[in-house]
Amino acid sequence: MELVKICTVVSSLSFFCYVISYFVTPNMKQEFIRYGLQKLGLFVIILQFLGAVGLIIGFKYPPILLISSLGLSLMMLAGLIVRWRLKDSLSASFPALFFMLLNAYIFFRMIIQ
């Protein structure tokens, strides 16, 4: 399997896990409260779910992969900005940075194909 496909599967599965954890652990909801975004928590989770689904559908329909990877990358950029404003550590901010870069890689690789 080529690298972009592996990255797409990793990103999609990770976002699916994040979505599930939002509903089964109290920690995720507490994080949104800490960010001051408790009213947006469910909306963000729905967008992440749609992005994860879009990554998978994108194997069959590449324009969906482009939209999903760009959307997830921008969402993770917004997450980084929130964490920087809260002065979170690099280790706490690393997942957002990693998934921003991973989805940006997927996006740009699909554009240049």
Side-chain angles (χ1 to χ4, degrees):
M1 190 184 289
E2 67 182 79
L3 184 58
V4 73
K5 288 182 181 179
I6 293 169
C7 291
T8 301
V9 169
V10 166
S11 181
S12 181
L13 290 176
S14 297
F15 278 102
F16 281 130
C17 289
Y18 188 81
V19 167
I20 291 167
S21 69
Y22 179 81
F23 294 104
V24 298
T25 67
N27 298 352
M28 297 301 180
K29 290 179 183 161
Q30 290 295 348
E31 282 293 293
F32 281 102
I33 292 169
R34 186 173 75 86
Y35 304 149
L37 301 171
Q38 57 272 21
K39 292 182 180 178
L40 292 176
L42 184 59
F43 179 68
V44 169
I45 292 302
I46 290 169
L47 290 177
Q48 290 181 351
F49 176 76
L50 292 173
V53 169
L55 291 176
I56 298 302
I57 292 172
F59 284 127
K60 181 80 172 163
Y61 303 101
I64 302 294
L65 179 58
L66 276 172
I67 293 166
S68 297
S69 60
L70 178 61
L72 289 169
S73 186
L74 292 173
M75 190 180 317
M76 293 298 99
L77 174 60
L80 270 177
I81 292 168
V82 168
R83 286 187 171 277
W84 286 335
R85 285 188 172 174
L86 293 173
K87 300 190 183 332
D88 280 355
S89 67
L90 179 60
S91 62
S93 303
F94 183 76
L97 176 63
F98 173 77
F99 286 107
M100 180 189 73
L101 295 173
L102 182 66
N103 282 285
Y105 170 77
I106 294 166
F107 176 77
F108 286 115
R109 280 294 306 270
M110 293 306 296
I111 284 181
I112 61 172
Q113 278 188 352

